[in-house]
Amino acid sequence: MRTQDQDGYSETSAHLEDLVKDVPGYLGMDHAQTPGGLGITVGYFRDADALAQWRTDAEHGVARKRGRAQWYERYTLHVAKVERSTGFTRAEDPRTPTAD
């Protein structure tokens, strides 16, 4: 959950999203947030080495410290291995289905 003091959060978040794209092995990111402020961000990395490179990035470290001091009441970090992922995108012409 986030605190009331969100000064600089949006700018820092946008900067980190740009920065993480330069990490070799970064695959993408998804976000979701409820109107009440509960948010989930999932980052995808090719392997543990790519994730470790992001974890040790100096600017990311500064942002984590500021987040704990200013922006977050609490958060939880989960590290998981995705064995399989599928998706669906509706075709513009419903008569032309897409396949995974």
Side-chain angles (χ1 to χ4, degrees):
M1 287 296 277
R2 299 208 321 222
T3 66
Q4 294 294 318
D5 183 1
Q6 294 297 294
D7 183 47
Y9 180 87
S10 295
E11 297 83 2
T12 301
S13 178
H15 177 67
L16 290 178
E17 283 190 42
D18 286 339
L19 191 63
V20 72
K21 292 174 185 174
D22 293 333
V23 174
Y26 169 75
L27 302 173
M29 185 179 300
D30 291 318
H31 302 281
Q33 187 165 346
T34 67
L38 175 64
I40 298 171
T41 299
V42 180
Y44 304 97
F45 295 85
R46 178 183 57 231
D47 53 30
D49 291 338
L51 177 58
Q53 184 171 344
W54 177 238
R55 275 297 283 168
T56 60
D57 179 88
E59 288 185 76
H60 184 211
V62 169
R64 278 196 316 273
K65 286 179 185 174
R66 187 172 179 193
R68 290 178 185 142
Q70 179 182 349
W71 300 318
Y72 292 103
E73 293 289 338
R74 66 182 177 278
Y75 66 82
T76 303
L77 174 69
H78 302 281
V79 177
K81 184 175 181 179
V82 176
E83 296 290 334
R84 181 174 177 211
S85 179
T86 62
F88 168 80
T89 303
R90 183 174 306 281
E92 288 188 34
D93 180 349
R95 295 170 291 170
T96 310
T98 61
D100 291 341

